[in-house]
């Protein structure tokens, strides 16, 4: 069973429908105890970093998610869900993220030629396979320069660059896919990225 964590800010419906279309058995959860029976965990997200952290912490979901990840369960963070993996964010400097990955979420530099937020299609460039990461599995069948759908004003800047599984250029190069052990994060929305996104979600479903 795949648990989609609902904290009131995620794109729950689209993610659920995409996973179900691919044959995934899905349950939307709000209670930490519901994560115990899950084989994999998905944390979608649309909204503000500090609000998300506040709700997750108040419901006891941060501690529960960390506990289940420590057991080896595959975890996928999407958009804001990916940003919450990191320690802090320029969006809310005083808010503390889950700190499962070291680094900061930064705001895009303002350039007249590139509107912020980045909304629309852009490419991801795969990085060579990383030690201790199933990036070859999560991005299996995804060619370099594949187009995916983004909607964000901030991007993750990992301290450990070895966790970067794919990058994207939007005025600067930033990490669009990260991977460390059983933790995966995607700054784009695979559920809105047509065939490429569905293939990535299928790869996640099929992870052992």
């Amino acid at each position: 069973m795949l648990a989609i964590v609902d904290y009131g800010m995620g794109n729950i419906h689209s993610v659920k429908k995409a996973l179900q279309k691919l044959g995934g058995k899905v349950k939307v959860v709000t209670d930490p105890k519901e994560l115990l029976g899950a084989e994999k965990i998905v944390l979608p997200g649309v909204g503000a970093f500090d609000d998300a952290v506040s709700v997750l912490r108040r419901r006891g979901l941060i501690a529960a998610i960390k506990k289940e990840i420590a057991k080896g369960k595959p975890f996928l963070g999407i958009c804001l869900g990916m940003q919450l993996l990191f320690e802090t964010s320029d969006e809310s400097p005083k808010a503390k993220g889950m700190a499962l990955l070291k680094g900061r979420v930064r705001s895009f530099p303002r350039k007249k030629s590139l509107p912020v937020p980045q909304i629309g299609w852009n490419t991801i460039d795969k990085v060579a396979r990383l030690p201790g990461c199933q990036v070859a599995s999560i991005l299996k069948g995804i060619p370099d320069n594949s187009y995916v759908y983004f909607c964000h004003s901030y991007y993750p800047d990992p301290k450990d660059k070895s966790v970067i599984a794919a990058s994207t250029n939007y005025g600067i190069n930033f990490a669009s896919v990260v991977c460390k052990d059983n933790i995966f994060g995607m700054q784009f929305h695979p559920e809105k990225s047509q065939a490429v996104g569905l293939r990535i979600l299928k790869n996640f479903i099929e992870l052992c």
Side-chain angles (χ1 to χ4, degrees), residues 63-79:
I65 288 170
K66 287 184 174 182
K67 186 175 181 179
E68 297 307 303
I69 288 174
K71 294 178 183 178
K73 292 183 181 180
F75 173 92
L76 174 61
I78 297 173
C79 198

Side-chain angles (χ1 to χ4, degrees), residues 116-132:
V116 177
Q118 176 188 199
I119 300 176
W121 297 86
N122 204 343
T123 58
I124 55 172
D125 300 316
K126 291 164 63 177
V127 176
R129 193 183 190 288
L130 310 176

Side-chain angles (χ1 to χ4, degrees), residues 49 83 86-96 101-107 155-159:
F49 188 94
Q83 295 177 8
F86 291 87
E87 297 168 296
T88 57
S89 173
D90 286 351
E91 183 180 14
S92 311
K94 294 182 180 180
K96 303 297 182 184
L101 298 176
K102 292 183 178 180
R104 185 177 188 86
V105 177
R106 302 189 182 278
S107 57
Y155 66 92
D157 182 16
K159 287 182 180 178

Side-chain angles (χ1 to χ4, degrees), residues 107-111 113-119 152-154 170:
S107 57
F108 278 115
R110 302 289 169 164
K111 297 182 179 181
S113 59
L114 295 173
V116 177
Q118 176 188 199
I119 300 176
H152 63 127
S153 300
Y154 301 85
Y170 193 70

Side-chain angles (χ1 to χ4, degrees), residues 92-203:
S92 311
K94 294 182 180 180
K96 303 297 182 184
M98 293 193 290
L100 288 160
L101 298 176
K102 292 183 178 180
R104 185 177 188 86
V105 177
R106 302 189 182 278
S107 57
F108 278 115
R110 302 289 169 164
K111 297 182 179 181
K112 292 182 179 180
S113 59
L114 295 173
V116 177
Q118 176 188 199
I119 300 176
W121 297 86
N122 204 343
T123 58
I124 55 172
D125 300 316
K126 291 164 63 177
V127 176
R129 193 183 190 288
L130 310 176
C133 171
Q134 299 184 73
V135 64
S137 298
I138 198 69
L139 294 178
K140 180 181 178 181
I142 305 299
D144 281 333
N145 298 313
S146 292
Y147 278 88
V148 292
Y149 188 83
F150 290 87
C151 182
H152 63 127
S153 300
Y154 301 85
Y155 66 92
D157 182 16
K159 287 182 180 178
D160 180 3
K161 304 306 180 187
S162 72
V163 305
I164 300 173
S167 63
T168 295
N169 186 278
Y170 193 70
I172 58 169
N173 285 317
F174 67 91
S176 48
V177 181
V178 295
C179 168
K180 182 180 180 183
D181 302 322
N182 53 317
I183 299 172
F184 303 90
M186 298 174 186
Q187 184 56 67
F188 54 91
H189 289 271
E191 77 280 5
K192 295 183 178 181
S193 297
Q194 299 182 359
V196 170
L198 290 177
R199 178 58 189 267
I200 292 172
L201 291 177
K202 182 176 177 62
N203 289 342

Side-chain angles (χ1 to χ4, degrees), residues 1 3 27-38 61 73:
M1 185 266 285
K27 183 177 181 179
V28 177
V29 305
T30 57
D31 189 312
K33 294 179 182 178
E34 295 178 292
L35 295 177
L36 296 175
L61 285 164
K73 292 183 181 180

